[in-house]
Amino acid sequence: MGLAFLSIYCNTCYKSIKSHNLKLKRIKYNNAGLKVDLGVGLWAWPLPMDYDGDGDFDLLVSCVDKPYFGMYFFENIEGNEKMPVFNPSVKVGSGIKNIQVSYVDGQIHLLAPGREFVDFKENNFEKEKQIYPTDKIHQGKVRANQWKYCDYEGDGDLDLIVGIGDGKEYGWDNAYNSDGKWMNGPIHGFVYLIKNNGTTAQPNYAKPEKIKASTEPVDVYGMPTPNFADFDNDGDFDLLCGEFLDKFTYFENIGTRTSPKYAKGRILKYENEPIKMDLEMIVPVAIDWDKDGDVDLIVGQEDGRVTFVENTGKVVAGTPQFLPPIFFRQQADEIKFGALTTPFSFDWDNDGDEDLICGNTAGCIGFIEN
């Protein structure tokens, strides 16, 4: 294989290669017309929007790990299709950790902890303004720190919503006893409201408070990625969260648009089984992707791929009904096989050239034919 390599690999290996000043070259498919799963490198943070202003939804995807560190634009050239095949990605900026998209009155706002990106397309995601005095509102071992705008109580001004992933009780992956029982606590996923007592133009923010569901604070399994929208089409804003693992929790608003009150969380299901992503580290974004009047989910995951989770528009026992994830596709460009790919070149089909046999974090083994 020389110095060519698959797109996602171990950070330790990257540092070793970099220290020897070796020039790296990504392997291309070189297979005209081939379509593959859309993706970036380790961990996809999707930002669906009409980035090029042609009337259909494109995908921006932020990736904050090697070797794909950057902001990538996947152009939709097929129009208002539910599952368009996207062009190969174009890098349009640097990767931004914890970036979140807010949709407010037809305008796109991109937020990171405590700050907003100003005219992000014109400024290549480099110009920021501070929107809150600090980006640290929670004491603990914070990994996820996800900020969004939302008119939480429907009074006309924009409040701030913050999703916090806290791993203090969890520690790390070394807390099993001799019987295989986990001895530490879970990862926590809290959702905070920073209420605006002023106006959108001149905000006056109150002290952050945890949002409750029933009588207890919202607490999913880490990395909540909170989304407020009218998922059940009853006129008020519900809450839908992801988690660090692979599932989605729905909190129905049993109050009103101006006085929200949330029921205990319910796991989204399809045919009585939980809807699950293929991998962990999921990042859901609520948007009416197929423009049919209900709010869907666009979801990124650990290996850099992005899915469409469709809202059917049906509501059963107070819970909106979604379909299982479908991976978006793109025109083939650079070879990918998940996260932390472990490639080995070998003439697997005994035809005289070397193919690739690869493993990845999903526990899959792949044959990539030459």
Side-chain angles (χ1 to χ4, degrees):
M1 290 175 58
L3 298 184
F5 62 96
L6 291 191
S7 292
I8 305 173
Y9 55 94
C10 173
N11 190 36
T12 301
C13 298
Y14 177 84
K15 290 178 180 177
S16 176
I17 292 170
K18 187 176 181 181
S19 69
H20 288 85
N21 295 317
L22 299 178
K23 187 175 181 180
L24 306 175
K25 180 182 178 181
R26 291 177 182 163
I27 297 175
K28 297 280 188 176
Y29 277 105
N30 295 320
N31 187 342
L34 181 66
K35 299 174 180 63
V36 298
D37 286 350
L38 179 147
V40 291
L42 182 63
W43 211 345
W45 291 69
L47 308 165
M49 66 181 73
D50 182 7
Y51 186 72
D52 54 8
D54 66 353
D56 54 41
F57 285 139
D58 310 296
L59 278 176
L60 279 185
V61 184
S62 178
C63 181
V64 294
D65 217 316
K66 299 178 179 65
Y68 263 81
F69 181 82
M71 183 74 69
Y72 292 90
F73 167 46
F74 292 88
E75 184 183 2
N76 173 6
I77 60 171
E78 296 189 353
N80 290 302
E81 299 290 332
K82 185 181 296 186
M83 294 299 295
V85 176
F86 293 85
N87 272 358
S89 65
V90 177
K91 188 175 181 180
V92 292
S94 296
I96 300 168
K97 187 176 182 180
N98 281 311
I99 192 168
Q100 296 280 272
V101 59
S102 303
Y103 306 98
V104 181
D105 297 330
Q107 300 297 312
I108 303 291
H109 299 265
L110 296 184
L111 272 62
R115 63 197 197 275
E116 179 178 359
F117 295 91
V118 179
D119 298 327
F120 55 86
K121 185 175 180 180
E122 293 79 5
N123 293 303
N124 299 315
F125 308 90
E126 294 178 353
K127 185 178 180 181
E128 305 173 359
K129 69 175 182 180
Q130 188 173 7
I131 58 173
Y132 195 72
T134 178
D135 60 0
K136 298 178 176 63
I137 66 163
H138 178 87
Q139 299 300 314
K141 188 178 180 181
V142 175
R143 185 172 188 181
N145 191 10
Q146 305 163 300
W147 293 56
K148 287 183 176 178
Y149 285 132
C150 175
D151 183 0
Y152 179 77
E153 71 283 68
D155 62 355
D157 57 55
L158 291 180
D159 309 291
L160 290 171
I161 301 295
V162 184
I164 294 290
D166 186 341
K168 183 178 180 180
E169 292 184 26
Y170 181 85
W172 198 239
D173 301 332
N174 56 355
Y176 289 103
N177 66 14
S178 58
D179 296 323
K181 181 180 178 181
W182 182 256
M183 302 303 292
N184 285 356
I187 308 173
H188 292 283
F190 303 116
V191 180
Y192 282 86
L193 166 67
I194 305 178
K195 181 175 170 53
N196 184 0
N197 293 320
T199 65
T200 297
Q202 294 183 312
N204 177 20
Y205 291 117
K207 181 181 178 180
E209 294 184 0
K210 290 179 181 175
I211 294 174
K212 291 184 177 181
S214 186
T215 60
E216 299 296 326
V218 169
D219 187 6
V220 297
Y221 200 78
M223 197 174 166
T225 319
N227 291 272
F228 285 89
D230 187 7
F231 292 99
D232 55 7
N233 283 314
D234 66 353
D236 55 38
F237 276 8
D238 311 293
L239 169 61
L240 193 150
C241 290
E243 60 179 28
F244 188 80
L245 294 178
D246 54 7
K247 297 186 292 297
F248 308 92
T249 304
Y250 172 70
F251 300 89
E252 182 186 3
N253 184 354
I254 55 176
T256 65
R257 177 69 182 94
T258 57
S259 183
K261 181 180 179 182
Y262 296 96
K264 186 177 180 180
R266 309 166 197 152
I267 299 296
L268 292 186
K269 294 184 177 182
Y270 176 74
E271 296 184 347
N272 296 318
E273 293 293 329
I275 296 176
K276 292 185 178 182
M277 290 290 288
D278 188 47
L279 287 171
E280 63 182 9
M281 298 157 65
I282 68 172
V283 185
V285 178
I287 186 174
D288 184 5
W289 175 263
D290 52 10
K291 302 181 180 181
D292 65 351
D294 50 47
V295 183
D296 312 297
L297 299 174
I298 304 300
V299 191
Q301 65 175 22
E302 177 191 20
D303 65 357
R305 292 186 292 166
V306 180
T307 72
F308 173 50
V309 180
E310 182 178 1
N311 187 343
T312 66
K314 300 177 181 178
V315 179
V316 176
T319 304
Q321 302 298 292
F322 288 81
L323 299 178
I326 303 175
F327 286 99
F328 285 115
R329 307 282 279 174
Q330 68 167 85
Q331 298 290 343
D333 185 20
E334 296 166 346
I335 295 178
K336 302 181 183 71
F337 187 65
L340 302 186
T341 302
T342 54
F344 187 85
S345 59
F346 182 75
D347 185 5
W348 184 260
D349 52 7
N350 199 31
D351 64 352
D353 53 43
E354 292 197 3
D355 312 295
L356 292 175
I357 303 297
C358 305
N360 62 28
T361 60
C364 298
I365 298 175
F367 164 47
I368 302 176
E369 182 181 3
N370 182 355

